[in-house]
Amino acid sequence: MYFRKFPKVNVDVRGNGIPVSMTDITRRVTFTRSTLESLVNFDFYDVPDGSTPEQIAFDYYGDVNLHWVVLLANDIKDIYSDWPMSVPRFEAFVKSKYDNPDGVHHYEYTQESGSTKFLIELPNDAATTLPAGAITITNYEYEERVLESKRKIRLIQPQYIGKIKSEFETKIGR
């Protein structure tokens, strides 16, 4: 459904003066910032390992073709870098990114001031003097935290899907 609604453009792809009708994939539609910030419109969901937007759309909306709503609601532009990886893909990613996955990525220290606590991230460099109690965060642990943060997504509540589809068609220009 998503790309079927996009307008067509004529492009001379071969450079021979004969235009070919193609889907204009350069169009972008997003939710307004106020919609994304309104918690009332969303349910929150933890993506199970290996799940795809299509599976979640089917499980939540009963329609695999609403995967684009899942992606738009979470401002996901690149499924390969913005969507949570499966465990095997994550393991391969970490091994390819770091010579030493168990090496130090950074240090963390919890600072307290009265009843307020906040976490300070300290770089992994020789010039940094570490306070007592600083915790080592490995490259693996850092990437695992990034992955886990991507697992927490929001889903537009089903009663709004008709309105979302209608607004999408209006915004895309068809």
Side-chain angles (χ1 to χ4, degrees):
M1 188 248 160
Y2 187 70
F3 284 114
R4 284 193 317 234
K5 300 294 184 181
F6 280 54
K8 302 285 186 190
V9 292
N10 290 322
V11 180
D12 182 4
V13 292
R14 293 185 182 92
N16 61 4
I18 302 171
V20 176
S21 180
M22 302 178 79
T23 301
D24 183 2
I25 62 170
T26 63
R27 296 282 179 112
R28 290 274 185 234
V29 174
T30 60
F31 290 117
T32 63
R33 183 64 38 208
S34 62
T35 297
L36 289 174
E37 291 172 356
S38 174
L39 300 180
V40 174
N41 301 325
F42 298 98
D43 285 329
F44 295 89
Y45 186 84
D46 289 326
V47 177
D49 182 47
S51 285
T52 65
E54 292 82 2
Q55 289 168 323
I56 291 170
F58 180 78
D59 292 345
Y60 192 72
Y61 301 116
D63 185 350
V64 69
N65 293 315
L66 290 174
H67 64 280
W68 61 273
V69 175
V70 174
L71 298 174
L72 282 177
N74 292 283
D75 200 25
I76 294 175
K77 295 175 181 70
D78 181 354
I79 191 83
Y80 298 105
S81 62
D82 299 338
W83 188 257
M85 296 178 222
S86 66
V87 171
R89 187 167 157 238
F90 172 75
E91 296 287 336
F93 166 76
V94 172
K95 285 178 185 173
S96 72
K97 184 173 180 179
Y98 298 99
D99 291 333
N100 181 7
D102 294 324
V104 176
H105 187 274
H106 67 274
Y107 300 92
E108 292 179 348
Y109 178 71
T110 302
Q111 178 71 44
E112 295 183 39
S113 178
S115 62
T116 304
K117 288 185 180 184
F118 53 95
L119 191 67
I120 299 173
E121 189 174 300
L122 305 167
N124 177 22
D125 63 34
T128 303
T129 303
L130 296 175
I135 298 169
T136 302
I137 304 300
T138 67
N139 294 320
Y140 188 92
E141 290 170 324
Y142 170 77
E143 294 297 343
E144 192 172 43
R145 286 180 181 179
V146 171
L147 174 66
E148 288 308 309
S149 72
K150 292 177 183 179
R151 287 200 187 286
K152 297 178 186 336
I153 65 169
R154 54 189 164 197
L155 298 171
I156 293 286
Q157 293 178 359
Q159 68 262 30
Y160 299 120
I161 292 300
K163 187 172 194 276
I164 296 294
K165 285 179 172 179
S166 175
E167 286 183 22
F168 170 78
E169 290 178 14
T170 300
K171 286 183 178 183
I172 207 65
R174 286 197 70 180

